[in-house]
Amino acid sequence: MSEPAVTLRDASMVFDAAGGEVHALDHISLDISDGEFLSLIGPSGCGKSTMLRLIGDLLVPTGGDVAVRGKPAHQARLDRDYAMVFQAATLLEWRRVAANVELPLEIMGVDTAERERRAAEMLHLVGLDAFAHNYPWQLSGGMQQRVSIARALVFQPSILLMDEPFGALDEMTRERMQMELLRIQEQTGTTIVFVTHSIPEAAFLSDRVAVMSPRPGRLVEVIDIDLPKPRVFETREDPRFFAAVTQVRESLRAIEEAT
């Protein structure tokens, strides 16, 4: 078997706060396979985003270990093994779409011709070729998120960390973006770790769903999603989809009743 893309072993996170220590995560152990789509779901404040930030080396665990591609998370960040996409697109309003996508390569010192080539390739991947010379404020929310995904993928990371990227979108746009993301993953083979509060979204997108408890966040259950790929709009009408949604919902309900 190949080495996991991400490994957490007894990872814990305790924050110092004015009122005392806040235990955000408690002894999380999890392997995320190469090419897998794994969603994190749980009550608000359970540490989903904290776990994502541990993987992304935005936080250092106070206990346990986090490895990415068999390396410490900090080294993986230096090696640019992953990219992050947040709920807000965080585009630079004064830069045109193509220039926003090029930004990571510009910071890396990649020459102009190569930056333009790779940005054009990524905009084609997300279906925004015709908007390369627009400004972000001229795009819809869903289109801005596609630009954000293109920017994250432009330096070809093998892992994409996504923190509720579709949370602010309307339902129809959200469903289209879910389809777009699965298409991109199919074409690139990227490993995706995805934070969401939406049970149907987690069930539709994922190979597995990791269910977390209220703070301190613990890993309660990891649910395999039995849905064929590629996922299509009709997948949402498949009895297996409803079964997966029910399984995730019942797992969350059991946590609520136990607390």
Side-chain angles (χ1 to χ4, degrees):
M1 293 179 64
S2 62
E3 185 176 56
V6 177
T7 300
L8 296 99
R9 287 290 176 267
D10 290 322
S12 298
M13 189 70 213
V14 179
F15 294 101
D16 289 325
E21 292 184 339
V22 175
H23 292 253
L25 289 175
D26 185 35
H27 293 88
I28 300 289
S29 292
L30 178 66
D31 288 337
I32 302 172
S33 301
D34 192 26
E36 180 176 12
F37 197 123
L38 180 124
S39 288
L40 303 173
I41 195 167
S44 294
C46 72
K48 301 182 295 297
S49 296
T50 298
M51 191 189 304
L52 211 65
R53 283 159 173 74
L54 292 181
I55 298 169
D57 191 44
L58 297 179
L59 293 171
V60 178
T62 52
D65 297 296
V66 179
V68 180
R69 297 285 174 211
K71 300 171 280 191
H74 179 67
Q75 186 60 49
R77 177 166 65 85
L78 296 179
D79 294 343
R80 300 185 175 92
D81 286 323
Y82 61 81
M84 295 193 73
V85 177
F86 299 96
Q87 183 170 349
T90 62
L91 303 175
L92 301 179
E93 295 293 329
W94 60 90
R95 291 178 70 114
R96 296 183 189 272
V97 164
N100 266 283
V101 176
E102 290 177 30
L103 184 59
L105 301 178
E106 187 177 325
I107 293 169
M108 292 163 59
V110 176
D111 68 78
T112 302
E114 179 65 6
R115 290 202 312 262
E116 291 176 349
R117 184 192 70 78
R118 285 165 66 176
E121 183 180 300
M122 288 302 103
L123 287 173
H124 178 71
L125 183 67
V126 300
L128 290 176
D129 315 58
F131 297 90
H133 300 294
N134 287 66
Y135 289 99
W137 53 267
Q138 295 174 309
L139 307 182
S140 69
M143 293 167 75
Q144 288 183 27
Q145 277 296 55
R146 280 194 274 166
V147 176
S148 179
I149 293 170
R151 182 181 59 189
L153 292 172
V154 74
F155 59 89
Q156 300 172 322
S158 61
I159 301 168
L160 196 56
L161 308 176
M162 308 188 77
D163 195 354
E164 294 193 76
F166 308 147
L169 303 178
D170 67 83
E171 193 65 23
M172 292 302 295
T173 303
R174 189 169 185 153
E175 288 189 358
R176 288 196 298 272
M177 288 299 297
Q178 291 166 6
M179 294 294 299
E180 192 77 7
L181 181 59
L182 289 177
R183 180 185 64 79
I184 291 167
Q185 189 200 26
E186 184 179 3
Q187 292 188 25
T188 62
T190 307
T191 303
I192 298 178
V193 187
F194 189 94
V195 170
T196 181
H197 280 103
S198 168
I199 297 171
E201 181 170 71
F204 180 76
L205 290 173
S206 307
D207 297 304
R208 294 189 299 160
V209 176
V211 180
M212 297 179 63
S213 70
R215 190 173 66 238
R218 298 183 178 92
L219 196 59
V220 174
E221 184 177 7
V222 180
I223 297 171
D224 292 312
I225 302 299
D226 178 27
L227 286 172
K229 288 188 170 183
R231 310 269 164 90
V232 294
F233 278 109
E234 289 74 18
T235 299
R236 295 183 177 88
E237 301 168 1
D238 189 316
R240 287 171 293 183
F241 171 70
F242 293 110
V245 168
T246 298
Q247 188 176 2
V248 175
R249 181 175 287 119
E250 287 180 347
S251 182
L252 289 167
R253 184 181 297 131
I255 295 169
E256 183 179 347
E257 290 173 352
T259 56

